Every structure is written in structure tokens, then in C-alpha cells.
């Protein structure tokens, strides 16, 4: 069975029980960055050929299985080794203020693909979920620092502009007094 990526995801999300036995041979799944639904428990259970997923950068992407106390969307997807992030996250990371932040985020994004092949098949979703949580936490910390630096720079620029404007007024006032003194001295 050969399905386009869009069909694969649509079929998977519409499956009533969440268990995708009919799509056992899919190899790639790509979700839209506008995905608003959470990915349900066992959605891709035993998709043994699944190698790659592309998911949006967001919290709460996976439904938690409280009975088993774990995430199990990709349970027994033994070949799953690649996770990519879709959406504007890469552009946002590139716009961070400090080069060290960009490097740290890029390394954090890539690290899942280094560890995922060695994770047991029943723990892959847990690992992906923890990776996403750590990455989101790091991103928001850097974003807050970035905003702080931008606000600081804006305040300094405003002060410099005010100082320059006041300096012009003082220069104009000083020129006016000088002219007045000259006029008074000539009339005397």
C-alpha cells in the first residue's frame, strides 16, 4: 500500500480506536505545524516500519496513558529513529540574540536522533516527549533572555535619543542667549 504523507496522517488521525494495524508498513509521518489535536494513545502502535516522524514544536502533543503511566503513541515502532520539527521553529532559533543560544538549540533539536535508535521500542514516545519538554523549556528561557536584551537596548536607545534632543534644545537656547547678548551689547 502506497499512501501520500497527507493520506497516512489523515487515516491515522481518523482511526476510531487509535490502533493502526492496517498502516503497519508506513515509514514516514508528517504532521502539520497547525496540528491542534493531541496524538492519541497507541495511535501508531506496532507500526514496525515507521522510521521518521515530523511533528510541530508544541507542548501537550501526546495523550498520556495514566493506567500505564507513560506515553505510548509510538510503542513498538522499533525502526523509529528520526524526529524532525516542522514549522517556524528553525527560523525563530536563527533569530535568537546569542550565537551560543542558537548552537545550543540546534544541538538540542538534533540530539533526539542520536539517542532514539538506542531507546527500547516501548519507551520511544516517552523519550520524544521528554526531549520536547526540555527543548521547549530551554527555548522559552532563551526567548525571555532575548526579550530582556531587546528591551534593554530599546531603553538605552530611547535615553540616547532624549539626551540628543535635550542637547539640541540646550544648543538652540545657548545660541539665542548669545544673539541676545550681542544685540544688547551693540545697542549700548
Amino acid at each position: 500500500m502506497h499512501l501520500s504523507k497527507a493520506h497516512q496522517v489523515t487515516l491515522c488521525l481518523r482511526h476510531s480506536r487509535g490502533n493502526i494495524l492496517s498502516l503497519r508498513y508506513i515509514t514516514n509521518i508528517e504532521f502539520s505545524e497547525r496540528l491542534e489535536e493531541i496524538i492519541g494513545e497507541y495511535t501508531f502502535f506496532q507500526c514496525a516500519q515507521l522510521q521518521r516522524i515530523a511533528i510541530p514544536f508544541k507542548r501537550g502533543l501526546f495523550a498520556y496513558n495514566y493506567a500505564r503511566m507513560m506515553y505510548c503513541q509510538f510503542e513498538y515502532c522499533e525502526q523509529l529513529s528520526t524526529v524532525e520539527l516542522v514549522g517556524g521553529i528553525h527560523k525563530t532559533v536563527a533569530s535568537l540574540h546569542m550565537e551560543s543560544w542558537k548552537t545550543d538549540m540546534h544541538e538540542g533539536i538534533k540530539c533526539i536522533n542520536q539517542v532514539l535508535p538506542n531507546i527500547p521500542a516501548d519507551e520511544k514516545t516517552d523519550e520524544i516527549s521528554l526531549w520536547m519538554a526540555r527543548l521547549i523549556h530551554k527555548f522559552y528561557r532563551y526567548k525571555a533572555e532575548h526579550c530582556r536584551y531587546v528591551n534593554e537596548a530599546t531603553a538605552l536607545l530611547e535615553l540616547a535619543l532624549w539626551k540628543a534632543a535635550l542637547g539640541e534644545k540646550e544648543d538652540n537656547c545657548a545660541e539665542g542667549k548669545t544673539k541676545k547678548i550681542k544685540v544688547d551689547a551693540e545697542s549700548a
Side-chain angles (χ1 to χ4, degrees), residues 71-97:
Y71 295 97
C72 46
Q73 284 71 10
F74 301 102
E75 191 166 6
Y76 297 105
C77 295
E78 295 174 14
Q79 299 298 315
L80 182 58
S81 61
T82 305
V83 178
E84 295 175 8
L85 295 176
V86 296
I89 184 61
H90 299 287
K91 230 183 232 186
T92 306
V93 167
S95 71
L96 289 174
H97 182 72

PDB file of all heavy atoms in Angstrom, residues 71-97:
ATOM      1  N   TYR A  71       3.728   7.522  27.965  1.00  0.00           N
ATOM      2  CA  TYR A  71       3.223   7.856  26.645  1.00  0.00           C
ATOM      3  C   TYR A  71       3.419   6.624  25.767  1.00  0.00           C
ATOM      4  O   TYR A  71       4.446   5.960  25.863  1.00  0.00           O
ATOM      5  CB  TYR A  71       3.992   9.039  26.050  1.00  0.00           C
ATOM      6  CG  TYR A  71       3.792  10.321  26.820  1.00  0.00           C
ATOM      7  CD1 TYR A  71       4.712  10.735  27.773  1.00  0.00           C
ATOM      8  CD2 TYR A  71       2.684  11.123  26.573  1.00  0.00           C
ATOM      9  CE1 TYR A  71       4.523  11.919  28.472  1.00  0.00           C
ATOM     10  CE2 TYR A  71       2.491  12.307  27.270  1.00  0.00           C
ATOM     11  CZ  TYR A  71       3.413  12.701  28.212  1.00  0.00           C
ATOM     12  OH  TYR A  71       3.234  13.867  28.904  1.00  0.00           O
ATOM     13  N   CYS A  72       2.455   6.320  24.911  1.00  0.00           N
ATOM     14  CA  CYS A  72       2.588   5.078  24.135  1.00  0.00           C
ATOM     15  C   CYS A  72       2.135   5.221  22.683  1.00  0.00           C
ATOM     16  O   CYS A  72       1.714   4.255  22.068  1.00  0.00           O
ATOM     17  CB  CYS A  72       1.857   3.947  24.828  1.00  0.00           C
ATOM     18  SG  CYS A  72       0.217   4.381  25.399  1.00  0.00           S
ATOM     19  N   GLN A  73       2.220   6.418  22.125  1.00  0.00           N
ATOM     20  CA  GLN A  73       1.800   6.635  20.745  1.00  0.00           C
ATOM     21  C   GLN A  73       2.649   5.839  19.752  1.00  0.00           C
ATOM     22  O   GLN A  73       2.145   5.351  18.747  1.00  0.00           O
ATOM     23  CB  GLN A  73       1.899   8.128  20.379  1.00  0.00           C
ATOM     24  CG  GLN A  73       0.791   8.957  20.950  1.00  0.00           C
ATOM     25  CD  GLN A  73       0.885   9.149  22.470  1.00  0.00           C
ATOM     26  OE1 GLN A  73       1.868   8.817  23.110  1.00  0.00           O
ATOM     27  NE2 GLN A  73      -0.164   9.684  23.047  1.00  0.00           N
ATOM     28  N   PHE A  74       3.942   5.732  20.000  1.00  0.00           N
ATOM     29  CA  PHE A  74       4.845   5.055  19.074  1.00  0.00           C
ATOM     30  C   PHE A  74       5.408   3.779  19.697  1.00  0.00           C
ATOM     31  O   PHE A  74       6.518   3.362  19.408  1.00  0.00           O
ATOM     32  CB  PHE A  74       5.979   5.999  18.664  1.00  0.00           C
ATOM     33  CG  PHE A  74       5.471   7.246  17.998  1.00  0.00           C
ATOM     34  CD1 PHE A  74       5.397   8.445  18.700  1.00  0.00           C
ATOM     35  CD2 PHE A  74       5.038   7.212  16.686  1.00  0.00           C
ATOM     36  CE1 PHE A  74       4.908   9.591  18.088  1.00  0.00           C
ATOM     37  CE2 PHE A  74       4.548   8.353  16.067  1.00  0.00           C
ATOM     38  CZ  PHE A  74       4.479   9.548  16.767  1.00  0.00           C
ATOM     39  N   GLU A  75       4.609   3.156  20.541  1.00  0.00           N
ATOM     40  CA  GLU A  75       5.064   1.945  21.208  1.00  0.00           C
ATOM     41  C   GLU A  75       5.270   0.831  20.186  1.00  0.00           C
ATOM     42  O   GLU A  75       4.436   0.589  19.324  1.00  0.00           O
ATOM     43  CB  GLU A  75       4.047   1.516  22.265  1.00  0.00           C
ATOM     44  CG  GLU A  75       4.568   0.432  23.154  1.00  0.00           C
ATOM     45  CD  GLU A  75       3.712   0.248  24.405  1.00  0.00           C
ATOM     46  OE1 GLU A  75       2.655   0.881  24.523  1.00  0.00           O
ATOM     47  OE2 GLU A  75       4.134  -0.542  25.244  1.00  0.00           O
ATOM     48  N   TYR A  76       6.395   0.184  20.293  1.00  0.00           N
ATOM     49  CA  TYR A  76       6.808  -0.899  19.402  1.00  0.00           C
ATOM     50  C   TYR A  76       6.969  -0.460  17.950  1.00  0.00           C
ATOM     51  O   TYR A  76       6.791  -1.251  17.033  1.00  0.00           O
ATOM     52  CB  TYR A  76       5.887  -2.112  19.544  1.00  0.00           C
ATOM     53  CG  TYR A  76       5.963  -2.666  20.939  1.00  0.00           C
ATOM     54  CD1 TYR A  76       4.925  -2.457  21.834  1.00  0.00           C
ATOM     55  CD2 TYR A  76       7.113  -3.314  21.375  1.00  0.00           C
ATOM     56  CE1 TYR A  76       5.017  -2.910  23.142  1.00  0.00           C
ATOM     57  CE2 TYR A  76       7.209  -3.769  22.684  1.00  0.00           C
ATOM     58  CZ  TYR A  76       6.164  -3.564  23.553  1.00  0.00           C
ATOM     59  OH  TYR A  76       6.267  -4.006  24.844  1.00  0.00           O
ATOM     60  N   CYS A  77       7.353   0.778  17.758  1.00  0.00           N
ATOM     61  CA  CYS A  77       7.797   1.254  16.450  1.00  0.00           C
ATOM     62  C   CYS A  77       9.318   1.121  16.477  1.00  0.00           C
ATOM     63  O   CYS A  77      10.044   2.098  16.683  1.00  0.00           O
ATOM     64  CB  CYS A  77       7.372   2.694  16.225  1.00  0.00           C
ATOM     65  SG  CYS A  77       5.591   2.928  16.141  1.00  0.00           S
ATOM     66  N   GLU A  78       9.779  -0.093  16.316  1.00  0.00           N
ATOM     67  CA  GLU A  78      11.185  -0.420  16.544  1.00  0.00           C
ATOM     68  C   GLU A  78      12.143   0.323  15.625  1.00  0.00           C
ATOM     69  O   GLU A  78      13.280   0.603  16.004  1.00  0.00           O
ATOM     70  CB  GLU A  78      11.386  -1.932  16.435  1.00  0.00           C
ATOM     71  CG  GLU A  78      10.653  -2.660  17.529  1.00  0.00           C
ATOM     72  CD  GLU A  78      10.702  -4.171  17.394  1.00  0.00           C
ATOM     73  OE1 GLU A  78      11.513  -4.665  16.605  1.00  0.00           O
ATOM     74  OE2 GLU A  78       9.921  -4.821  18.103  1.00  0.00           O
ATOM     75  N   GLN A  79      11.703   0.666  14.424  1.00  0.00           N
ATOM     76  CA  GLN A  79      12.577   1.330  13.454  1.00  0.00           C
ATOM     77  C   GLN A  79      12.585   2.861  13.600  1.00  0.00           C
ATOM     78  O   GLN A  79      13.371   3.525  12.939  1.00  0.00           O
ATOM     79  CB  GLN A  79      12.147   0.969  12.020  1.00  0.00           C
ATOM     80  CG  GLN A  79      12.218  -0.505  11.714  1.00  0.00           C
ATOM     81  CD  GLN A  79      13.633  -1.040  11.831  1.00  0.00           C
ATOM     82  OE1 GLN A  79      14.574  -0.437  11.354  1.00  0.00           O
ATOM     83  NE2 GLN A  79      13.767  -2.168  12.507  1.00  0.00           N
ATOM     84  N   LEU A  80      11.718   3.389  14.450  1.00  0.00           N
ATOM     85  CA  LEU A  80      11.638   4.839  14.601  1.00  0.00           C
ATOM     86  C   LEU A  80      12.966   5.386  15.118  1.00  0.00           C
ATOM     87  O   LEU A  80      13.393   5.071  16.223  1.00  0.00           O
ATOM     88  CB  LEU A  80      10.496   5.228  15.544  1.00  0.00           C
ATOM     89  CG  LEU A  80      10.278   6.728  15.756  1.00  0.00           C
ATOM     90  CD1 LEU A  80      10.011   7.442  14.441  1.00  0.00           C
ATOM     91  CD2 LEU A  80       9.133   6.958  16.733  1.00  0.00           C
ATOM     92  N   SER A  81      13.623   6.192  14.286  1.00  0.00           N
ATOM     93  CA  SER A  81      14.938   6.715  14.659  1.00  0.00           C
ATOM     94  C   SER A  81      15.109   8.191  14.344  1.00  0.00           C
ATOM     95  O   SER A  81      16.102   8.789  14.734  1.00  0.00           O
ATOM     96  CB  SER A  81      16.033   5.921  13.945  1.00  0.00           C
ATOM     97  OG  SER A  81      15.876   6.050  12.538  1.00  0.00           O
ATOM     98  N   THR A  82      14.148   8.787  13.647  1.00  0.00           N
ATOM     99  CA  THR A  82      14.298  10.185  13.241  1.00  0.00           C
ATOM    100  C   THR A  82      13.057  10.990  13.603  1.00  0.00           C
ATOM    101  O   THR A  82      11.944  10.615  13.247  1.00  0.00           O
ATOM    102  CB  THR A  82      14.533  10.285  11.714  1.00  0.00           C
ATOM    103  OG1 THR A  82      15.654   9.469  11.377  1.00  0.00           O
ATOM    104  CG2 THR A  82      14.796  11.709  11.292  1.00  0.00           C
ATOM    105  N   VAL A  83      13.287  12.102  14.300  1.00  0.00           N
ATOM    106  CA  VAL A  83      12.228  13.051  14.622  1.00  0.00           C
ATOM    107  C   VAL A  83      12.673  14.406  14.098  1.00  0.00           C
ATOM    108  O   VAL A  83      13.784  14.855  14.376  1.00  0.00           O
ATOM    109  CB  VAL A  83      11.974  13.141  16.147  1.00  0.00           C
ATOM    110  CG1 VAL A  83      10.899  14.176  16.440  1.00  0.00           C
ATOM    111  CG2 VAL A  83      11.603  11.793  16.719  1.00  0.00           C
ATOM    112  N   GLU A  84      11.816  15.022  13.330  1.00  0.00           N
ATOM    113  CA  GLU A  84      12.085  16.360  12.820  1.00  0.00           C
ATOM    114  C   GLU A  84      10.990  17.290  13.311  1.00  0.00           C
ATOM    115  O   GLU A  84       9.865  16.858  13.555  1.00  0.00           O
ATOM    116  CB  GLU A  84      12.134  16.351  11.293  1.00  0.00           C
ATOM    117  CG  GLU A  84      13.283  15.528  10.749  1.00  0.00           C
ATOM    118  CD  GLU A  84      13.269  15.413   9.232  1.00  0.00           C
ATOM    119  OE1 GLU A  84      12.445  16.098   8.582  1.00  0.00           O
ATOM    120  OE2 GLU A  84      14.064  14.634   8.711  1.00  0.00           O
ATOM    121  N   LEU A  85      11.343  18.559  13.440  1.00  0.00           N
ATOM    122  CA  LEU A  85      10.368  19.567  13.852  1.00  0.00           C
ATOM    123  C   LEU A  85       9.895  20.337  12.630  1.00  0.00           C
ATOM    124  O   LEU A  85      10.710  20.749  11.802  1.00  0.00           O
ATOM    125  CB  LEU A  85      10.985  20.521  14.870  1.00  0.00           C
ATOM    126  CG  LEU A  85      11.369  19.888  16.196  1.00  0.00           C
ATOM    127  CD1 LEU A  85      12.069  20.906  17.085  1.00  0.00           C
ATOM    128  CD2 LEU A  85      10.158  19.308  16.898  1.00  0.00           C
ATOM    129  N   VAL A  86       8.583  20.510  12.521  1.00  0.00           N
ATOM    130  CA  VAL A  86       8.006  21.266  11.412  1.00  0.00           C
ATOM    131  C   VAL A  86       7.578  22.636  11.926  1.00  0.00           C
ATOM    132  O   VAL A  86       7.366  22.836  13.115  1.00  0.00           O
ATOM    133  CB  VAL A  86       6.806  20.534  10.767  1.00  0.00           C
ATOM    134  CG1 VAL A  86       7.243  19.239  10.132  1.00  0.00           C
ATOM    135  CG2 VAL A  86       5.696  20.284  11.767  1.00  0.00           C
ATOM    136  N   GLY A  87       7.463  23.565  11.004  1.00  0.00           N
ATOM    137  CA  GLY A  87       7.004  24.895  11.363  1.00  0.00           C
ATOM    138  C   GLY A  87       8.139  25.897  11.443  1.00  0.00           C
ATOM    139  O   GLY A  87       9.256  25.636  10.990  1.00  0.00           O
ATOM    140  N   GLY A  88       7.844  27.010  12.036  1.00  0.00           N
ATOM    141  CA  GLY A  88       8.774  28.127  12.067  1.00  0.00           C
ATOM    142  C   GLY A  88       9.830  28.092  13.155  1.00  0.00           C
ATOM    143  O   GLY A  88      10.541  29.075  13.342  1.00  0.00           O
ATOM    144  N   ILE A  89       9.963  26.995  13.865  1.00  0.00           N
ATOM    145  CA  ILE A  89      10.913  26.940  14.978  1.00  0.00           C
ATOM    146  C   ILE A  89      12.342  27.172  14.513  1.00  0.00           C
ATOM    147  O   ILE A  89      13.123  27.837  15.189  1.00  0.00           O
ATOM    148  CB  ILE A  89      10.787  25.621  15.782  1.00  0.00           C
ATOM    149  CG1 ILE A  89      11.717  25.635  17.001  1.00  0.00           C
ATOM    150  CG2 ILE A  89      11.062  24.425  14.914  1.00  0.00           C
ATOM    151  CD1 ILE A  89      11.434  26.720  17.993  1.00  0.00           C
ATOM    152  N   HIS A  90      12.715  26.672  13.355  1.00  0.00           N
ATOM    153  CA  HIS A  90      14.093  26.824  12.879  1.00  0.00           C
ATOM    154  C   HIS A  90      14.404  28.293  12.573  1.00  0.00           C
ATOM    155  O   HIS A  90      15.495  28.774  12.884  1.00  0.00           O
ATOM    156  CB  HIS A  90      14.339  25.942  11.656  1.00  0.00           C
ATOM    157  CG  HIS A  90      14.149  24.484  11.948  1.00  0.00           C
ATOM    158  ND1 HIS A  90      15.050  23.757  12.689  1.00  0.00           N
ATOM    159  CD2 HIS A  90      13.143  23.635  11.634  1.00  0.00           C
ATOM    160  CE1 HIS A  90      14.620  22.517  12.807  1.00  0.00           C
ATOM    161  NE2 HIS A  90      13.466  22.418  12.191  1.00  0.00           N
ATOM    162  N   LYS A  91      13.425  29.003  12.013  1.00  0.00           N
ATOM    163  CA  LYS A  91      13.594  30.437  11.747  1.00  0.00           C
ATOM    164  C   LYS A  91      13.699  31.218  13.055  1.00  0.00           C
ATOM    165  O   LYS A  91      14.503  32.138  13.186  1.00  0.00           O
ATOM    166  CB  LYS A  91      12.386  30.950  10.954  1.00  0.00           C
ATOM    167  CG  LYS A  91      12.725  31.737   9.730  1.00  0.00           C
ATOM    168  CD  LYS A  91      11.447  32.247   9.092  1.00  0.00           C
ATOM    169  CE  LYS A  91      11.455  31.864   7.638  1.00  0.00           C
ATOM    170  NZ  LYS A  91      10.325  32.441   6.924  1.00  0.00           N
ATOM    171  N   THR A  92      12.877  30.840  14.016  1.00  0.00           N
ATOM    172  CA  THR A  92      12.886  31.507  15.317  1.00  0.00           C
ATOM    173  C   THR A  92      14.213  31.296  16.030  1.00  0.00           C
ATOM    174  O   THR A  92      14.780  32.236  16.590  1.00  0.00           O
ATOM    175  CB  THR A  92      11.725  30.997  16.195  1.00  0.00           C
ATOM    176  OG1 THR A  92      10.506  31.156  15.464  1.00  0.00           O
ATOM    177  CG2 THR A  92      11.644  31.752  17.494  1.00  0.00           C
ATOM    178  N   VAL A  93      14.728  30.087  15.994  1.00  0.00           N
ATOM    179  CA  VAL A  93      16.018  29.787  16.619  1.00  0.00           C
ATOM    180  C   VAL A  93      17.117  30.610  15.951  1.00  0.00           C
ATOM    181  O   VAL A  93      17.996  31.152  16.626  1.00  0.00           O
ATOM    182  CB  VAL A  93      16.336  28.272  16.557  1.00  0.00           C
ATOM    183  CG1 VAL A  93      17.781  27.993  16.910  1.00  0.00           C
ATOM    184  CG2 VAL A  93      15.403  27.517  17.492  1.00  0.00           C
ATOM    185  N   ALA A  94      17.053  30.737  14.634  1.00  0.00           N
ATOM    186  CA  ALA A  94      18.067  31.513  13.901  1.00  0.00           C
ATOM    187  C   ALA A  94      18.041  32.989  14.282  1.00  0.00           C
ATOM    188  O   ALA A  94      19.052  33.685  14.148  1.00  0.00           O
ATOM    189  CB  ALA A  94      17.857  31.349  12.402  1.00  0.00           C
ATOM    190  N   SER A  95      16.916  33.468  14.808  1.00  0.00           N
ATOM    191  CA  SER A  95      16.822  34.884  15.168  1.00  0.00           C
ATOM    192  C   SER A  95      17.196  35.172  16.618  1.00  0.00           C
ATOM    193  O   SER A  95      17.147  36.322  17.048  1.00  0.00           O
ATOM    194  CB  SER A  95      15.402  35.394  14.900  1.00  0.00           C
ATOM    195  OG  SER A  95      14.501  34.844  15.827  1.00  0.00           O
ATOM    196  N   LEU A  96      17.576  34.142  17.372  1.00  0.00           N
ATOM    197  CA  LEU A  96      17.980  34.372  18.760  1.00  0.00           C
ATOM    198  C   LEU A  96      19.218  35.260  18.813  1.00  0.00           C
ATOM    199  O   LEU A  96      20.060  35.239  17.913  1.00  0.00           O
ATOM    200  CB  LEU A  96      18.252  33.044  19.472  1.00  0.00           C
ATOM    201  CG  LEU A  96      17.023  32.191  19.781  1.00  0.00           C
ATOM    202  CD1 LEU A  96      17.439  30.838  20.343  1.00  0.00           C
ATOM    203  CD2 LEU A  96      16.085  32.895  20.742  1.00  0.00           C
ATOM    204  N   HIS A  97      19.345  36.011  19.883  1.00  0.00           N
ATOM    205  CA  HIS A  97      20.368  37.046  20.025  1.00  0.00           C
ATOM    206  C   HIS A  97      21.798  36.500  20.095  1.00  0.00           C
ATOM    207  O   HIS A  97      22.683  36.983  19.416  1.00  0.00           O
ATOM    208  CB  HIS A  97      20.050  37.878  21.273  1.00  0.00           C
ATOM    209  CG  HIS A  97      20.987  39.008  21.521  1.00  0.00           C
ATOM    210  ND1 HIS A  97      20.983  40.133  20.751  1.00  0.00           N
ATOM    211  CD2 HIS A  97      21.968  39.160  22.430  1.00  0.00           C
ATOM    212  CE1 HIS A  97      21.924  40.952  21.181  1.00  0.00           C
ATOM    213  NE2 HIS A  97      22.527  40.381  22.199  1.00  0.00           N
TER     214      HIS A  97
END
